[in-house]
Amino acid sequence: MTTRTDDLLGRIQPTEGGREIFDPATGELVGRAPQASVEDLNDAVARAKTAQPGWAARSNDQRRSLLHAAADAVEAHAEELAQLLSREQGKPLNGPNARFEVGACSAWLRATAEFSLEPEVLVDDTSGRATLHWRPLGVVGAIGPWNWPMMISVWQIAPSLRQGNTVVIKPSGYTPLSVLALVEVLNTVLPENVLIPVPGRGHVGEALSRHPDIDKIMFTGSTATGKSIIKAAADTVKRLTMELGGNDAGIVLADADPKAIAEDLFWGAFINTGQTCAALKRLYVPESIYDQVCSALVEVAEKMPMGPGLDEANVLGPLQNEAQWQIVDRLVTAARDSGARILTGGDPDHSRSGHFYPTTLVADIDPQNPLVVEEQFGPALPIVKYSTVDQAIEWANSLNEGLGSSVWSSDLDRAEEVASQLVAGTTWINKHGAVDPRMPFGGARESGFGLEFGVEGLKEVSQPHIISR
Ligand code: NDP
């Protein structure tokens, strides 16, 4: 198929060889990704290190305007980027998916451009004067996942560049073309060697995590890989931001209006076909409105079309890869075998090409069932019945993860009171996963540490330096 991505692909593919990347919806060849070796990585880090002082020496205004110019470039190529993302990742163009993700890239570039971290006067009296300055760290290594490959790359790149660091970025081996295309577009306006991609598999990420000239790793991905990176980074005492797996709970309170919240609940769980770190992954609903919430969710779920991403009608797509499809299928099968009730979905069509798993809602499920306590990262939501709010809070807080969570109620004060008892980086009220560049985002417990976004996000890629006289 000829699409508007061909020009961009032509600029990022190797002239020969490379790893073939296939569309998870159709199995068609999307393109070939270059494969960086560890020697290529070393060369990239050396170039980024050499370029960093010149980048840091630019004024804040210059870096701010270059980030806005980068956003302009993304906007000028928005449709090509969205089509390539859709073909490689699988997410549809429409709904909160590919076009939305590309839009988020420019929005985060612009928002990050406008944050600023000014020096602070800490002491100024007869004892002396002390000031706090935020210096760049040096070279930031960015390692990202396959679910929101472009947007998460921008979350790592934009604050790092804003603060005067240079960046070496390793995309996920599942979605390298999307990140290479994004970097290609950003580099039409950025100076040379300020942002360098190193497409390769996990061993390249590991070498980046160990590299003595990498000053900080920003990582988004699984908790297991996050733990490996923490160990690999220990010998050089690297700064780390770890955005790891989540298993977000949502608690519906008895005064919520099931029909009014159903669509937002649905998208909280099924955004990007459930492949989102801070998606709603387990829902707790009181007995008194359990049946109404279940039927309102089924009604919404059954009218959301799923299919190949380039078809404008679809708002849900395939799982990005076969391994993730197997995880979802195993968990739904375990739920069904335990006696839980499948309200919709749960019965994949094995004759269909592509990694499609139907939109699945599971009711009357035990709170300890694997579909509840393990991260499914796909389109299958368990709905657990509770009798007291304290019980729901206890279940919500009982896992090792703590990325996001949500409370759903018509009484906002009561909802805040329940929210205050949840262990999570963010608790949303009457919405879920609504990240915003002005609000710091990060995890509790094994969902990671360090904050992204806002001024707090700039601090994470800066070295505090106090001058005291
Ligand atoms: P991983 O954590 O394995 O991969 C994330 C990134 O880390 C990829 O770029 C990967 O490279 C790289 N990587 C792999 N091994 C190492 C290593 N030893 N050192 C440094 N970098 C490494 O996630 P997956 O993509 O395999 O997904 C697995 C699970 O993680 C999912 O099923 C889901 O549960 C969770 N996940 C969570 C996300 C989130 O946003 N919190 C996002 C994606 C997944 P490569 O893939 O090329 O080997």
Side-chain angles (χ1 to χ4, degrees):
M1 183 192 295
T2 302
T3 68
R4 291 179 59 183
T5 58
D6 290 343
D7 174 48
L8 262 180
L9 272 172
R11 283 152 58 189
I12 59 178
Q13 291 187 123
T15 41
E16 58 185 49
R19 204 161 53 81
E20 292 183 322
I21 304 286
F22 299 96
D23 184 331
T26 62
E28 284 173 22
L29 183 70
V30 178
R32 290 171 293 108
Q35 293 296 290
S37 62
V38 172
E39 291 70 42
D40 295 330
L41 167 73
N42 291 338
D43 173 64
V45 174
R47 286 187 284 131
K49 188 177 177 187
T50 304
Q52 192 270 329
W55 176 244
R58 293 186 182 230
S59 69
N60 271 321
D61 277 348
Q62 283 176 326
R63 286 199 299 271
R64 183 180 297 123
S65 359
L66 277 165
L67 286 188
H68 281 296
D72 294 340
V74 168
E75 284 163 12
H77 292 276
E79 188 59 18
E80 295 137 272
L81 289 170
Q83 289 195 11
L84 179 57
L85 175 62
S86 176
R87 292 172 67 198
E88 184 185 53
Q89 204 283 335
K91 62 181 70 189
L93 288 171
N94 289 324
N97 292 300
R99 288 181 178 130
F100 170 86
E101 179 167 352
V102 174
C105 290
S106 52
W108 251 269
L109 282 162
R110 291 196 194 288
T112 310
E114 291 305 320
F115 297 130
S116 79
L117 199 46
E118 300 300 332
E120 288 168 43
V121 177
L122 304 174
V123 174
D124 190 10
D125 59 23
T126 51
S127 69
R129 178 177 162 88
T131 45
L132 166 61
H133 306 261
W134 299 94
R135 314 292 190 206
L137 285 168
V139 185
V140 171
I143 304 176
W146 46 260
N147 57 341
W148 293 90
M150 290 187 184
M151 182 177 76
I152 289 174
S153 295
V154 167
W155 291 359
Q156 299 172 332
I157 293 167
S160 301
L161 295 184
R162 176 71 184 79
Q163 287 306 97
N165 305 284
T166 52
V167 177
V168 174
I169 183 163
K170 192 213 92 62
S172 163
Y174 289 109
T175 51
L177 299 173
S178 300
V179 176
L180 289 171
L182 174 75
V183 168
E184 175 75 17
V185 167
L186 299 177
N187 276 341
T188 58
V189 300
L190 294 173
E192 205 178 0
N193 292 329
V194 157
L195 170 62
I196 307 176
V198 283
R201 296 308 305 248
H203 67 285
V204 174
E206 195 192 341
L208 192 63
S209 310
R210 291 193 187 282
H211 202 293
D213 288 333
I214 290 290
D215 300 284
K216 157 114 196 180
I217 294 285
M218 294 193 74
F219 174 72
T220 298
S222 65
T223 299
T225 304
K227 289 178 183 176
S228 302
I229 291 175
I230 293 167
K231 288 177 194 151
D235 282 344
T236 46
V237 195
K238 283 187 195 359
R239 278 66 185 143
L240 299 170
T241 294
M242 291 277 132
E243 208 271 85
L244 309 178
N247 194 347
D248 291 10
I251 300 179
V252 176
L253 301 184
D255 65 3
D257 175 347
K259 277 193 185 306
I261 62 173
E263 189 150 340
D264 288 333
L265 274 178
F266 177 82
W267 283 119
F270 290 90
I271 181 168
N272 200 26
T273 315
Q275 302 161 104
T276 299
C277 48
L280 202 177
K281 292 178 179 145
R282 47 196 173 112
L283 183 63
Y284 299 95
V285 179
E287 287 160 342
S288 57
I289 55 167
Y290 189 79
D291 291 342
Q292 293 96 308
V293 170
C294 287
S295 52
L297 270 172
V298 170
E299 197 177 316
V300 174
E302 290 184 346
K303 63 180 193 215
M304 297 298 177
M306 177 185 283
L310 294 186
D311 179 338
E312 298 275 350
N314 293 323
V315 291
L316 296 164
L319 274 307
Q320 202 283 327
N321 54 74
E322 168 70 18
Q324 197 60 45
W325 191 99
Q326 294 292 349
I327 290 172
V328 175
D329 189 49
R330 172 177 65 79
L331 291 172
V332 174
T333 302
R336 184 195 288 105
D337 291 350
S338 75
R341 191 158 52 97
I342 309 288
L343 297 173
T344 189
D347 186 18
D349 176 358
H350 293 278
S351 66
R352 184 175 187 179
S353 66
H355 307 307
F356 289 99
Y357 199 92
T359 308
T360 300
L361 294 167
V362 182
D364 299 337
I365 185 166
D366 186 89
Q368 302 310 324
N369 188 278
L371 179 60
V372 180
V373 298
E374 293 179 34
E375 185 188 27
Q376 69 278 58
F377 218 67
L381 179 68
I383 309 169
V384 180
K385 192 183 288 176
Y386 73 81
S387 46
T388 68
V389 176
D390 284 347
Q391 184 182 51
I393 293 170
E394 191 186 318
W395 285 337
N397 288 339
S398 65
L399 304 183
N400 289 337
E401 293 89 351
L403 191 54
S405 57
S406 57
V407 182
W408 303 74
S409 170
S410 302
D411 179 344
L412 297 182
D413 291 336
R414 171 75 181 126
E416 270 213 39
E417 205 269 310
V418 173
S420 70
Q421 297 176 66
L422 296 177
V423 180
T426 307
T427 301
W428 290 280
I429 292 173
N430 293 332
K431 54 191 176 183
H432 197 110
V435 290
D436 183 313
R438 298 165 299 180
M439 298 177 201
F441 177 68
R445 295 179 172 162
E446 291 194 9
S447 290
F449 53 84
L451 290 168
E452 297 185 285
F453 317 160
V455 174
E456 295 307 316
L458 298 186
K459 289 181 184 173
E460 295 274 333
V461 284
S462 308
Q463 173 62 49
H465 182 197
I466 289 150
I467 297 183
S468 177
R469 66 184 189 203

